[in-house]
Amino acid sequence: MCSSLTLRLPSNGPDTAAKAILNEVSFTMERGETLAVVGESGSGKSTLGLCLLGLLPKGLVPFVDGEIIFDRTNLIGLDEPSWRRLRGARISIIFQEPMTSLNPVMPIGKQIVEAIRVHRLMSKAAAWDEALALLKRVRIPDPEAKMYAYPGQLSGGQRQRVMIAMALSNSPDLLIADEPTTALDVTIQAEIITLLKQLRNDTGMALLFVTHDLTLVRSIADRVLVMQNGAVVEQGPANEVMQTPKHDYTRYLLACRPSGSKQPIPSGSPELLGVKNLTVNYTRSSSLFSKRSKTTALEGVNLSVKAGQTLGIVGESGSGKSTLARAILQLVSYDGQIRFAGQPVCKVASPGFIAFRKQVQVVFQDPYGALSPRMTIGEFIAEPLRAHFPELSQNERRHRVAELLEEIGLGRADMHRYPHSFSGGQRQRIAIARALVMNPQMLILDEPTSALDVSVQLQVLKLLRRLQEQHNLTYLLITHDLAVVSAMADEVLVLKDGREVERGATRQIMDDPQQEYTRRLVSAAMAV
C-alpha cells in the first residue's frame, strides 16, 4: 500500500484559508509488516484510518488530494459499491471501544456470521462453523458458549477478541487496529498484542497499528510513523525511532511516561480511612423463574490509608477494584467495617453520612461522561456548593469556581463554556475541580488517566501531585497502569477475584513482588 494524502477543511469564505487536517502524509506498507502510527489526539491518526477505509464524511471527500494505492488500485474517488466490496473484506478495522462497536442485542455468533455472509456466499451453517473456528483462533474461553452470549456478558478483553475475530473473518490484506488496547488491563493488553503479532505472522496480512502510547510500539511494530498536526514529522524502523529519535516531538512523546516516585508522608500521620474484613456479595438470577445465585465480589479485604498518603489499587478487570470504591462510598451493601477519620461511616441519608460524602469525592475515568453537556463548567463545578452550602451567594460561588479554574490551569473566562469545547485533558481537569470544590480530605481516582494521551496524562498526574502537596489530600488510586502507580503511590494493594493478593510499599511491590500473580502483572507491564 502507498499513500500521499492531503485533506483540508472547506473554508468559510473566499478570504478564509482552509485548515489542513492531513498535510502530505506519505508512507508505504508491505505484506506481513506492522506500521505503528503514533501521535497525540488531533494529530490526524484516526482521520488517516478513515481515509483508508473510505469512511470520511461525504462533505470532506472533495477536499482530499493525493492517492491511496492499494494493490495497484487508487482508492481515492472510488464509488460506494466498490468501497463496500473492499471494506471488511480486504481492509478491516478494530476500533478502540468494542462495546460501542458490537450490537448489544445480538449474540456474538450471529454478529460474526453476519460479517462473513456479507462478503461471501455461504450457508448459515457453514458460516456458523467458521465463526466458531474464529473464536477458537483468537482464544476465547469456552467458544461454543460464547457464540450465544451477548456483548454485555463478556469482559473487555473478550469483547476485543470478538472484534479481532470479526475483522479477520474475511482474511483481509490490511488490518487497521485503532487504539485496540487503550482501556485494557496490562495482562490483557499484553495478550492482545501477542495475539495480533501471531495472527499477522500466520496470515501474512499488513497491520496498521494506531496508538498514542509509544511503549506499545516497542513490542509490535516494524516501522513507526509519528504524526503531529496532520503531518508526518518522523518515520523509520521502530528500533531506530525509539532509540535515536530525530525530531523534537518524538523525543517529547518518549519523555512523557510517568517517572519518579512520591515523597513519603511524615511519620506519625494519622489514619484517615480504615477498612476491616470488607465483603461484598451480589445476588442475581439468569431468568425470572430461576433461583438467585450469589457472587462474591470482595471477600475479607483490609486496608489502612493515612492522611496525605496515596494507596494504589491494582488488579485485572473483575478483581474488585471498583467494587471496593463503591463500598467505601456506601453505594453497595457490604459486611465489615469502614471508618473515616476515626469514626464509623454512617448509613446513607443520615447527617453523618452527608458530612462523610463532603470529605470523600470521586474523579472518574471518562470525564466527558461525567460532565453534564447541558451545563457550563461554571454551573457544573458550583452545583455541589448550591446543594451543601445554600447560604453562599451566587458571587461567592462564582469566586470559588474561578479560584479552582486558575488552580487547575484554566482561566476564569472558561466557566462560561460547555464541556464539548474542551479537550480530554481539560475535561479531566474540570472533573478534578468539581471534586475539589467541597474541600475534601480524600479523592478516589478511578482510572483518571487511562483514556488520555501520554503527554496529557503526564500533565494531569503532575497536577494531582501538586494539589496533594498543597492541600494534604489523600488519594485512593484505582488503575491498571503500573507506571502510574509507581510514580504516584506510597503503597500498593493487589486484588484478584475479590481477594487481597499482596500489599506493601510501592518500590517493594514493583521491584520484588512476592506472589506469582503480582509478578505476572509487573512482567506484563514491562512487556508492553
Side-chain angles (χ1 to χ4, degrees):
M1 165 174 279
C2 170
S3 70
S4 176
L5 296 175
T6 298
L7 169 61
R8 299 182 183 276
L9 282 176
S11 60
N12 295 324
D15 299 326
T16 305
K19 179 183 178 181
I21 302 176
L22 296 176
N23 191 10
E24 297 184 4
V25 175
S26 298
F27 64 90
T28 60
M29 289 188 69
E30 303 295 335
R31 292 183 183 274
E33 182 182 39
T34 298
L35 174 67
V37 181
V38 301
E40 297 173 287
S41 295
S43 62
K45 308 187 303 295
S46 296
T47 302
L48 176 61
L50 294 177
C51 283
L52 298 180
L53 284 164
L55 293 176
L56 281 177
K58 292 183 179 180
L60 292 182
V61 172
F63 297 90
V64 178
D65 297 322
E67 59 182 13
I68 302 174
I69 305 300
F70 180 78
D71 195 16
R72 298 185 295 277
T73 300
N74 186 3
L75 304 185
I76 298 296
L78 212 61
D79 58 31
E80 188 56 32
S82 299
W83 270 118
R84 283 197 294 267
R85 287 191 295 270
L86 188 69
R87 192 188 300 131
R90 301 194 62 194
I91 304 178
S92 291
I93 187 167
I94 307 167
F95 292 103
Q96 177 176 349
E97 179 45 69
M99 194 59 184
T100 60
S101 303
L102 296 171
N103 188 332
V105 297
M106 182 185 290
I108 292 301
K110 285 189 176 182
Q111 297 192 52
I112 302 177
V113 166
E114 182 181 58
I116 294 172
R117 299 188 73 207
V118 162
H119 293 284
R120 286 188 278 168
L121 293 175
M122 186 179 290
S123 68
K124 287 184 179 180
W128 186 269
D129 291 340
E130 183 152 340
L132 179 59
L134 283 166
L135 287 187
K136 292 178 179 178
R137 190 178 186 183
V138 298
R139 288 186 285 283
I140 286 276
D142 194 9
E144 290 82 3
K146 293 300 190 294
M147 289 286 286
Y148 298 95
Y150 291 87
Q153 296 175 297
L154 306 182
S155 68
Q158 290 174 346
R159 287 194 292 264
Q160 197 61 285
R161 288 173 185 267
V162 170
M163 287 298 300
I164 295 172
M166 292 178 69
L168 294 175
S169 61
N170 295 293
S171 303
D173 299 305
L174 171 64
L175 178 62
I176 301 172
D178 189 2
E179 303 274 10
T181 62
T182 296
L184 301 179
D185 298 325
V186 287
T187 51
I188 300 173
Q189 189 178 80
E191 290 172 3
I192 295 297
I193 293 296
T194 301
L195 175 62
L196 286 173
K197 289 194 293 185
Q198 290 176 345
L199 292 172
R200 176 201 61 190
N201 295 337
D202 292 344
T203 63
M205 66 182 179
L207 176 62
L208 189 74
F209 191 84
V210 179
T211 183
H212 65 255
D213 191 348
L214 276 171
T215 57
L216 294 177
V217 172
R218 303 177 191 273
S219 57
I220 195 170
D222 300 304
R223 293 190 302 113
V224 180
L225 186 83
V226 183
M227 294 187 65
Q228 182 185 28
N229 298 328
V232 176
V233 297
E234 185 169 356
Q235 62 176 306
N239 290 335
E240 180 181 315
V241 173
M242 299 295 289
Q243 294 175 9
T244 57
K246 297 179 174 60
H247 197 277
D248 290 341
Y249 180 67
T250 311
R251 288 192 287 268
Y252 168 71
L253 290 179
L254 287 168
C256 282
R257 290 295 292 168
S259 60
S261 58
K262 181 181 177 295
Q263 292 296 320
I265 61 173
S267 59
S269 295
E271 180 185 79
L272 183 64
L273 175 70
V275 173
K276 185 176 181 181
N277 199 28
L278 185 68
T279 299
V280 176
N281 295 310
Y282 293 123
T283 58
R284 67 175 184 176
S285 57
S286 57
S287 68
L288 182 62
F289 302 103
S290 63
K291 292 182 179 180
R292 298 179 69 83
S293 61
K294 184 175 76 171
T295 301
T296 301
L298 284 177
E299 184 174 355
V301 173
N302 299 281
L303 60 88
S304 175
V305 186
K306 296 181 178 180
Q309 188 179 33
T310 298
L311 175 67
I313 301 175
V314 301
E316 297 172 300
S317 296
S319 62
K321 305 188 299 294
S322 296
T323 300
L324 175 59
R326 286 194 288 267
I328 292 170
L329 291 166
Q330 308 296 295
L331 297 177
V332 295
S333 299
Y334 62 87
D335 297 316
Q337 299 178 6
I338 299 177
R339 298 176 65 85
F340 185 81
Q343 300 296 320
V345 175
C346 301
K347 293 182 179 180
V348 175
S350 67
F353 172 75
I354 294 174
F356 162 74
R357 286 297 299 271
K358 288 180 181 179
Q359 297 302 318
V360 181
Q361 298 291 311
V362 189
V363 178
F364 294 101
Q365 176 178 354
D366 179 11
Y368 197 67
L371 303 179
S372 172
R374 299 179 179 179
M375 302 170 70
T376 65
I377 65 164
E379 294 169 338
F380 177 77
I381 295 172
E383 187 178 33
L385 296 178
R386 290 196 297 270
H388 293 282
F389 300 99
E391 69 276 9
L392 293 178
S393 68
Q394 184 176 357
N395 285 336
E396 288 173 324
R397 292 196 299 267
R398 187 181 293 115
H399 179 69
R400 172 64 177 151
V401 170
E403 286 181 334
L404 276 173
L405 287 175
E406 290 183 343
E407 189 170 9
I408 64 170
L410 297 177
R412 290 173 177 255
D414 289 325
M415 71 171 66
H416 305 295
R417 297 166 60 191
Y418 287 86
H420 71 271
S421 64
F422 294 91
S423 67
Q426 289 172 328
R427 287 196 289 262
Q428 195 62 289
R429 289 171 180 264
I430 294 164
I432 293 171
R434 160 79 175 228
L436 291 176
V437 75
M438 301 292 292
N439 289 318
Q441 296 183 60
M442 172 180 282
L443 294 186
I444 296 179
L445 307 171
D446 190 0
E447 302 277 9
T449 61
S450 65
L452 304 177
D453 293 332
V454 287
S455 58
V456 180
Q457 180 186 84
L458 191 62
Q459 294 168 15
V460 172
L461 292 178
K462 286 181 177 179
L463 172 64
L464 289 170
R465 276 180 174 172
R466 176 170 59 80
L467 293 172
Q468 185 174 41
E469 293 171 358
Q470 290 177 352
H471 301 284
N472 194 35
L473 291 168
T474 303
Y475 291 155
L476 207 63
L477 175 62
I478 299 171
T479 182
H480 65 258
D481 192 336
L482 294 188
V484 172
V485 169
S486 181
M488 293 288 292
D490 297 281
E491 294 185 357
V492 179
L493 171 67
V494 183
L495 294 177
K496 182 180 187 296
D497 299 329
R499 296 177 177 86
E500 176 185 323
V501 173
E502 191 167 354
R503 177 176 51 181
T506 302
R507 287 270 54 87
Q508 183 269 314
I509 295 291
M510 298 298 295
D511 297 339
D512 187 26
Q514 301 300 304
Q515 301 299 319
E516 176 59 32
Y517 177 71
T518 311
R519 287 194 287 269
R520 185 157 63 89
L521 287 179
V522 173
S523 63
M526 298 300 181
V528 298

